[in-house]
Amino acid sequence: MKKFINSVDGMLAESLDGLASAHADIITLGPERKFVRRRELNPKKVALVSGGGSGHEPLHAGFVGHGMLDAACPGQVFTSPTPDQIAEAAQAVAGDAGVLLIVKNYAGDRMNFEMAAEVAECRTATVITDDDVAVENSTHSIGRRGVAGTLIVEKIVGAAAEKGVDLAGCVALGERVNARTRSMGVALTSCTVPAAGTPTFTLREDEMEMGVGIHGEPGRRRIKLEQADAIAYELTSAIAEDLDARDGADALLLVNGFGGTPTIELYLMYNAARRMLEKRGLRIARSLVGSFVTSLDMAGCSLTLSLLDAEMTALWDDPVRTAALKW
């Protein structure tokens, strides 16, 4: 295993220090690095808090800032943040409008966020993301996993919160965006968790894992490596059919790298996916390409499709200023 690392135990702390220092105009760290929060808070708006295991950067800490999250709680690698982290983060950013917790559908995340909501000394509500169509149940989840579609929920609901939408309105919007969003991924290699020092799973040179999870969980099946067009066809077909996407619908297409995939390959996959979705009668009205919800050093990517309405499109276009997204 080759990593830029001083020690396994200190890796997360050193990375968070680097993030906060590099983007000191946008974010700051909470006590004992329990959370990352916006440097400038707006106590009049709904505060958005999310989090999860580290190793998926820039999710979630990279999306803290104007137009997205007010705080993010990083757990250890692939390990849920603790209830006290989440409760302290919520209380640190809470204003009169309350706090919305955005939680990916993994057993540990859901349990710890629920416990935090019970003890937090502020008003809270929760939106669960479960956009992965690959499998109905997996190692870490009951029901569908929350993956790259979480970014889309955070961006659109974050924009609504900036505009003054109340807590109930943010919940309804988040649930609507989640319901109109689907994702599926494919892995060409495993990731290597630093504490383990060896790959989570093994793929032969001519194999890929179709429908892999962002922690390296098994997908639908292990198959022979195919050309990019064939991979894009399977991913887009599964997503579009699950969404029951209709001719003429406007959509947002996100092509997300898992951490070990070159940008040139991500744009190639975007081109393939766009062509196939347009053949289905969809119009790709908005797009995003890059590594945003990663799995450490895994080679592979996921496709996410959101069916847009006028409100979602306008909120997607609203200004955002975070470490990982700016427009």
Side-chain angles (χ1 to χ4, degrees):
M1 179 183 73
K2 295 181 180 178
K3 300 283 185 186
F4 292 112
I5 189 171
N6 292 314
S7 71
V8 170
D9 291 342
M11 186 178 186
L12 176 56
E14 292 179 60
S15 180
L16 288 171
D17 287 346
L19 175 72
S21 178
H23 303 284
D25 57 326
I26 300 175
I27 58 175
T28 187
L29 296 180
E32 302 175 40
R33 304 183 186 88
K34 288 184 177 180
F35 55 88
V36 178
R37 72 162 178 84
R38 285 173 66 163
R39 180 166 289 279
E40 302 295 335
L41 296 173
N42 178 357
K44 296 182 180 180
K45 77 173 196 70
V46 171
L48 271 59
V49 175
S50 192
S54 296
H56 304 305
E57 290 75 16
L59 189 82
H60 295 272
F63 303 138
V64 173
H66 178 87
M68 289 191 78
L69 299 176
D70 294 270
C73 302
Q76 293 297 319
V77 173
F78 293 176
T79 302
S80 201
T82 60
D84 67 294
Q85 279 182 268
I86 301 161
E88 287 183 36
Q91 290 164 190
V93 299
D96 295 337
V99 176
L100 178 63
L101 305 176
I102 300 177
V103 186
K104 301 188 302 302
N105 189 34
Y106 294 97
D109 287 5
R110 291 192 64 162
M111 178 179 68
N112 288 351
F113 273 87
E114 286 171 8
M115 292 174 64
E118 291 174 1
V119 301
E121 297 176 357
C122 56
R123 185 162 58 104
T124 67
T126 300
V127 167
I128 304 294
T129 62
D130 58 355
D131 51 300
D132 190 357
V133 304
V135 292
E136 292 297 331
N137 294 289
S138 74
T139 311
H140 301 285
S141 67
I142 299 175
R144 293 183 171 185
R145 304 174 291 214
V147 288
T150 308
L151 180 165
I152 297 170
V153 173
E154 291 175 355
K155 170 63 185 79
I156 291 176
V157 178
E162 294 287 355
K163 291 181 175 296
V165 174
D166 65 15
L167 187 58
C170 286
V171 170
L173 176 61
E175 291 175 345
R176 188 167 96 241
V177 175
N178 179 68
R180 297 171 69 92
T181 301
R182 300 288 189 276
S183 302
M184 186 168 162
V186 59
L188 306 183
T189 70
S190 174
C191 56
T192 299
V193 176
T198 56
T200 302
F201 58 92
T202 302
L203 287 173
R204 295 175 181 170
E205 285 299 312
D206 63 345
E207 288 182 330
M208 60 184 182
E209 184 78 22
M210 183 61 71
V212 71
I214 58 173
H215 307 94
E217 311 99 303
R220 290 186 170 186
R221 66 193 191 284
R222 188 164 296 183
I223 58 176
K224 293 294 184 181
L225 183 65
E226 297 178 321
Q227 290 186 331
D229 278 356
I231 297 170
Y233 178 79
E234 178 159 354
L235 297 177
T236 55
S237 296
I239 290 167
E241 289 166 13
D242 196 274
L243 266 178
D244 193 22
R246 307 292 177 139
D247 276 1
D250 282 355
L252 162 67
L253 174 60
L254 163 62
V255 177
N256 170 66
F258 284 151
T261 306
T263 302
I264 190 172
E265 295 178 29
L266 296 180
Y267 277 109
L268 185 153
M269 286 297 291
Y270 171 83
N271 186 53
R274 177 192 56 78
R275 286 186 285 106
M276 290 165 190
L277 291 167
E278 287 177 347
K279 285 181 181 178
R280 289 177 170 270
L282 297 175
R283 188 175 85 89
I284 306 305
R286 298 292 184 274
S287 57
L288 185 64
V289 179
S291 295
F292 299 105
V293 181
T294 63
S295 184
L296 293 168
D297 54 350
M298 182 186 288
C301 73
S302 61
L303 304 184
T304 299
L305 191 72
S306 280
L307 299 181
L308 296 170
D309 57 29
E311 181 185 22
M312 288 170 60
T313 303
L315 292 169
W316 179 262
D317 290 343
D318 264 14
V320 60
R321 187 166 183 266
T322 70
L325 286 180
K326 294 185 180 75
W327 66 69

